[in-house]
């Protein structure tokens, strides 16, 4: 990374110092202005929909095994957008807005063939719920995510708390479900003022038909020595015999390695390097959005950041946050609690628990959020 301009060096230095005393929730952190992104965390679930053709193709798999490989391909193909987009576009990871309770992000692809609903379902701790649906193909991906952050000497470690459930409606009328767990991430490059994300440890895809994908992440300085690497195995059940091994990088090529049940060793499984495989979400112009939609609610803050007018950005941000605090106070005074508009909480989700149980490593959280039928 290149050196920071002198004007930013001291603010970055004191920012790093303030990080050391933080743990748990980075969302409330005040970051130097040059590291601020002009958009909210509620926009991030759109990365799941960007490889829209891979998402749609899941329904074309003729067997459970084919569909499992297609779900795995789609999952891996979202990672490059999720974790390298900001760095690619601006030279470093950026700090997004901390969404307000009930904030929405609504979008679509291909004139409504693929539709995304996002709602901030909790503010403390921040939890985002999303629902991505291709009705024609009978595919729904619904999930939630939160982050637990810890700071060590050289890096920030972020544990993604949450999970997704992908459902495919088969021609037989049956529904196949895939539990998707989320990787841990490290934010590196802090000392040079150019933070970027690397993924670590393991995430899983557990299907109701019994197949399991185990995705092991590694980066530069690890065994493979290449950043953004992964090695993925498809086994029949967690710990069962390996049917496929897929290796490569999630920003470039992934190939079938040995074993490969269908004899495709050496062939390309998918290639993430082309931007053409990921399509940006369509969002209504701000003037046509409802008052809870992210880009409308945050417009003044985003405009300030984009134009470099950080004073007006920070004023607009305070105004928004004060109004939110006042709303909560008013609700409390009336003896009300905030009602979600798009999602219903499903505490202790039995479907999630059943699939999570099939994994040796059992994720902790068990709540899901389900899109209200009135919103779908
Ligand atoms: C869900 C994703 C998540 C959100 C972001 C950690 C992070 C907020 C959460 C996990 C998406 O599906 C995938 C991608 C990137 C994650 C972000 C990377 C990041 O740095 C931020 C945190 C909160 C910060 O902004 C810290 C400030 C940092 C830019 C410099 C120290």
């Amino acid at each position: 990374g290149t050196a920071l301009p002198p004007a930013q060096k001291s603010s970055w230095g004191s920012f790093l110092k303030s990080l050391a005393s933080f743990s748990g929730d980075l969302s409330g952190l005040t970051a130097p202005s040059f590291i601020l992104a002009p958009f909210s965390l509620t926009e991030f679930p759109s990365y799941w929909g960007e490889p829209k053709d891979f998402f749609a193709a899941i329904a074309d798999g003729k067997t459970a095994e084919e569909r499992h490989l297609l779900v795995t391909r789609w999952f891996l193909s979202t990672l490059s957008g999720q974790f390298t987009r900001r760095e690619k576009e601006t030279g470093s990871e950026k700090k997004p807005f901390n969404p307000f309770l009930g904030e929405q992000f609504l979008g679509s692809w291909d004139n409504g063939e693929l539709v995304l609903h996002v709602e901030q379902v909790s503010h403390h701790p921040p939890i985002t719920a999303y629902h991505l649906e291709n009705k024609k193909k009978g595919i729904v991906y619904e999930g939630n995510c939160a982050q637990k952050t810890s700071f060590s000497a050289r890096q920030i470690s972020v544990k993604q708390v949450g999970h997704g459930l992908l459902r495919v409606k088969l021609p037989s009328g049956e529904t196949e479900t895939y539990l998707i767990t989320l990787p841990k991430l490290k934010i590196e490059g802090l000392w040079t003022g150019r933070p970027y994300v690397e993924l670590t440890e393991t995430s899983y895809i557990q299907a109701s038909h019994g197949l399991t994908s185990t995705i092991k992440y590694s980066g530069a300085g690890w065994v493979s020595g290449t950043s953004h690497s992964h090695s993925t195995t498809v086994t029949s059940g967690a710990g069962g015999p390996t049917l496929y091994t897929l290796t490569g990088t999630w920003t470039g090529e992934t190939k079938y390695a040995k074993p490969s049940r269908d004899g495709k060793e050496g062939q390309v499984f998918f290639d993430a390097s082309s931007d053409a495989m990921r399509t940006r979400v369509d969002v209504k112009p701000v003037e046509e959005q409802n008052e809870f939609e992210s880009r409308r609610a945050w417009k003044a803050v985003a405009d300030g950041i984009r134009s470099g007018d950080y004073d007006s950005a920070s004023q607009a941000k305070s105004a928004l946050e004060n109004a939110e605090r006042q709303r909560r106070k008013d609700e409390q005074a009336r003896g009300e609690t905030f009602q979600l508009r798009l999602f219903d909480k499903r505490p202790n989700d039995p479907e999630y628990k059943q699939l999570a149980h099939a994994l040796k490593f059992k994720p902790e959280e068990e709540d899901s959020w389900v899109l209200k039928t009135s919103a779908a």
Side-chain angles (χ1 to χ4, degrees):
T2 45
L4 282 172
Q8 292 168 359
K9 236 183 198 154
S10 69
S11 69
W12 186 249
S14 44
F15 173 63
L16 290 181
K17 272 184 210 135
S18 71
L19 277 179
S21 58
F22 254 80
S23 73
D25 180 8
L26 266 191
S27 54
L29 200 71
T30 312
S33 41
F34 72 90
I35 209 81
L36 301 177
F39 45 79
S40 161
L41 209 48
T42 55
E43 298 210 13
F44 283 49
S46 68
Y47 293 122
W48 294 113
E50 288 190 349
K52 62 185 177 57
D53 298 331
F54 279 1
F55 188 72
I58 292 168
D60 302 336
K62 288 185 186 65
T63 61
E65 190 174 312
E66 267 181 44
R67 288 186 294 273
H68 191 92
L69 286 171
L70 291 167
V71 170
T72 303
R73 183 179 71 165
W74 159 74
F75 171 81
L76 291 170
S77 73
T78 70
L79 299 179
S80 160
Q82 312 240 28
F83 299 108
T84 64
R85 174 70 49 73
R86 282 84 52 204
E87 182 201 349
K88 256 195 183 165
E89 286 190 342
T90 70
S92 86
E93 184 58 85
K94 293 272 144 72
K95 189 179 192 304
F97 307 147
N98 182 23
F100 58 88
L101 184 61
E103 179 177 324
Q104 300 177 6
F105 183 75
L106 308 175
S108 65
W109 290 259
D110 291 340
N111 301 311
E113 197 160 308
L114 182 60
V115 178
L116 175 70
H117 287 84
V118 180
E119 183 173 27
Q120 189 69 14
V121 295
S122 169
H123 186 65
H124 283 299
I127 305 174
T128 310
Y130 53 86
H131 176 105
L132 180 70
E133 179 161 12
N134 185 325
K135 276 218 170 84
K136 210 166 99 187
K137 292 285 192 170
I139 312 170
V140 172
Y141 179 52
E142 193 163 65
N144 57 85
C145 65
Q147 295 88 38
K148 263 194 194 152
T149 319
S150 58
F151 185 75
S152 73
R154 294 196 62 85
Q155 67 197 26
I156 300 174
S157 300
V158 181
K159 184 181 166 180
Q160 292 199 75
V161 181
H163 63 269
L165 290 168
L166 186 141
R167 300 188 179 86
V168 194
K169 186 130 202 250
L170 303 176
S172 65
E174 270 174 87
T175 300
E176 205 168 73
T177 309
Y178 297 78
L179 166 64
I180 296 190
T181 74
L182 306 164
K184 281 196 179 149
L185 46 135
K186 294 186 295 180
I187 302 168
E188 298 183 335
L190 287 174
W191 297 108
T192 55
R194 288 182 163 252
Y196 64 91
V197 169
E198 185 56 283
L199 299 179
T200 59
E201 298 184 31
T202 312
S203 78
Y204 300 90
I205 302 174
Q206 177 62 52
S208 54
H209 51 59
L211 295 184
T212 309
S213 290
T214 303
I215 305 153
K216 291 207 163 96
Y217 302 89
S218 58
W222 286 64
V223 198
S224 79
T226 312
S227 56
H228 308 326
S229 294
H230 76 95
S231 176
T232 298
T233 57
V234 177
T235 55
S236 93
T242 303
L243 312 180
Y244 294 90
T245 309
L246 309 158
T247 59
T249 64
W250 44 266
T251 43
E253 249 176 21
T254 291
K255 289 182 170 170
Y256 290 91
K258 263 191 164 118
S260 173
R261 240 241 283 246
D262 51 8
K264 288 190 178 161
E265 282 94 349
Q267 292 183 32
V268 175
F269 179 63
F270 85 104
D271 185 355
S273 57
S274 155
D275 285 336
M277 68 172 292
R278 286 173 295 271
T279 308
R280 305 296 169 99
V281 65
D282 290 328
V283 180
K284 275 187 196 166
V286 164
E287 311 80 62
E288 293 168 29
Q289 292 180 11
N290 78 53
E291 60 184 301
F292 311 110
E293 279 183 81
S294 184
R295 289 186 189 174
R296 177 169 159 192
W298 288 100
K299 185 174 187 303
V301 186
D303 286 348
I305 290 172
R306 282 205 194 88
S307 66
D309 186 351
Y310 299 116
D311 286 342
S312 80
S314 129
Q315 266 172 35
K317 181 170 172 280
S318 300
L320 192 155
E321 288 166 350
N322 291 339
E324 278 304 302
R325 268 190 285 272
Q326 191 57 49
R327 260 177 214 129
R328 299 293 89 78
K329 273 189 196 154
D330 294 347
E331 282 162 6
Q332 221 178 8
R334 292 195 300 262
E336 291 170 3
T337 52
F338 178 83
Q339 300 297 308
L340 295 174
R341 301 176 187 95
L342 300 179
F343 287 81
D344 287 317
K345 186 173 180 172
R346 179 188 284 172
N348 235 342
D349 183 3
E351 195 181 11
Y352 164 73
K353 283 214 289 200
Q354 202 193 342
L355 287 169
H357 193 73
L359 297 167
K360 327 177 271 264
F361 163 82
K362 196 188 166 304
E364 302 158 10
E365 38 77 49
E366 287 161 2
D367 299 337
S368 292
W369 279 265
V370 181
L371 189 69
K372 291 181 197 280
T373 38
S374 57

